[in-house]
Amino acid sequence: MEALRHPKFSAIYKKLIVGEVWNFVSSSNKSYYSGILGEVPQHAPAKMVSQAYEAEWAEFTKFCVVRNPWCKTLSDYYWKSKGVQDPPSFSDFVKALSSGDPSVKIVPLHNSNWDMCAIDDKICVDRIIRFEDLNNGLNDVIKEIGIDWDGWLPQSKLNSTKKIRQYRDYYDSETRNIISDIYGREIDHFNYRF
C-alpha cells in the first residue's frame, strides 16, 4: 500500500494499470459479470444485484456514493471526451443525454445512478456517501464494518483532467433544466441544488 503513495505513482499507474493490465482486468470482469448483471455490470441496478446475490445482499453492508448531478455530468463529459478527436460541445453532450442521441458516441448508456441505490424507488442500501465528503463517508462506513483504514485514497484522475471552473459556469438554463429532469429523483431525495 505504501508504494501507492510514491510521488511517481500516478505516472506508473497510467502505464501499468490504466494500460494493458487494467484493460485485461476490466474486460475479464465485464465479460464474466455481464452475463449476471447486464451490459454494464459495474453500474448494475441494485435490484439486479440483490437478485443475483441474494444471500450476500442480505448479509453484507451496502453503500452507494452519490454526487451533485450537475457537477457529475460535467466531470463525466470531460472523462468521456478525453482523447476524442472533435468531441461534442458540453451543451450537445447534455442534450444527447436527454434524447439518447446515438450519434454522440461519448454519451453513457446509463446516466442516472438512482437505480444503483434504490429498488422500486426506495433507498435499499445501508449508507449513502456524498462524493463531496467522500473521505469522511468512507471512513465512517469502513470503521462501522471493522476494517482498519488510514483514510488515504489514490487520485488517479488528478493529473489527467483539465482544471475545471465552477461547474455552474458551463450551464445555461436549458442544460441546467435537462439535468434537473434526468436526475430529478436524486436531486429531490439527496437535496442537491444547482
Side-chain angles (χ1 to χ4, degrees):
M1 195 63 166
E2 286 301 313
L4 298 177
R5 298 175 196 245
H6 190 277
K8 302 235 184 245
F9 169 73
S10 181
I12 295 166
Y13 173 82
K14 284 179 188 172
K15 287 188 189 241
L16 294 177
I17 304 301
V18 175
E20 294 302 314
V21 173
W22 175 253
N23 290 337
F24 171 74
V25 170
S26 179
S27 63
S28 297
N29 279 332
K30 189 172 182 177
S31 175
Y32 176 79
Y33 287 105
S34 62
I36 301 165
L37 299 174
E39 191 176 342
V40 188
Q42 67 273 29
H43 295 287
K47 188 171 192 168
M48 190 176 283
V49 176
S50 72
Q51 291 169 346
Y53 299 99
E54 194 172 333
E56 293 88 346
W57 185 265
E59 182 183 333
F60 290 170
T61 298
K62 298 162 291 295
F63 66 92
C64 193
V65 178
V66 298
R67 186 174 186 182
N68 176 308
W70 294 280
C71 185
K72 174 188 174 291
T73 301
L74 180 62
S75 176
D76 200 32
Y77 168 74
Y78 277 115
W79 178 250
K80 299 279 186 187
S81 63
K82 185 177 71 168
V84 172
Q85 190 173 355
D86 197 29
S89 69
F90 178 66
S91 179
D92 288 342
F93 175 79
V94 171
K95 291 172 187 173
L97 280 175
S98 177
S99 69
D101 183 352
S103 70
V104 181
K105 303 283 187 221
I106 65 170
V107 172
L109 293 173
H110 308 283
N111 47 18
S112 173
N113 293 332
W114 180 252
D115 289 336
M116 289 194 300
C117 64
I119 296 176
D120 298 328
D121 260 350
K122 293 185 177 128
I123 296 295
C124 62
V125 295
D126 302 305
R127 297 287 295 267
I128 297 290
I129 298 171
R130 288 181 178 265
F131 180 83
E132 299 82 10
D133 193 29
L134 184 62
N135 272 61
N136 289 329
L138 281 175
N139 190 49
D140 291 345
V141 169
I142 290 171
K143 190 183 295 181
E144 185 179 300
I145 295 170
I147 298 172
D148 286 332
W149 179 52
D150 66 2
W152 180 81
L153 289 171
Q155 296 185 357
S156 63
K157 291 184 184 178
L158 197 59
N159 295 326
S160 64
T161 58
K162 297 177 182 181
K163 295 291 180 198
I164 298 174
R165 304 183 308 261
Q166 280 288 334
Y167 70 86
R168 291 175 189 89
D169 296 343
Y170 290 81
Y171 287 89
D172 57 27
S173 61
E174 180 183 15
T175 53
R176 176 183 174 179
N177 290 335
I178 288 172
I179 298 305
S180 295
D181 290 343
I182 293 172
Y183 295 98
R185 292 177 295 185
E186 287 136 294
I187 291 167
D188 291 342
H189 188 85
F190 302 118
N191 201 29
Y192 278 113
R193 298 289 171 254
F194 183 73

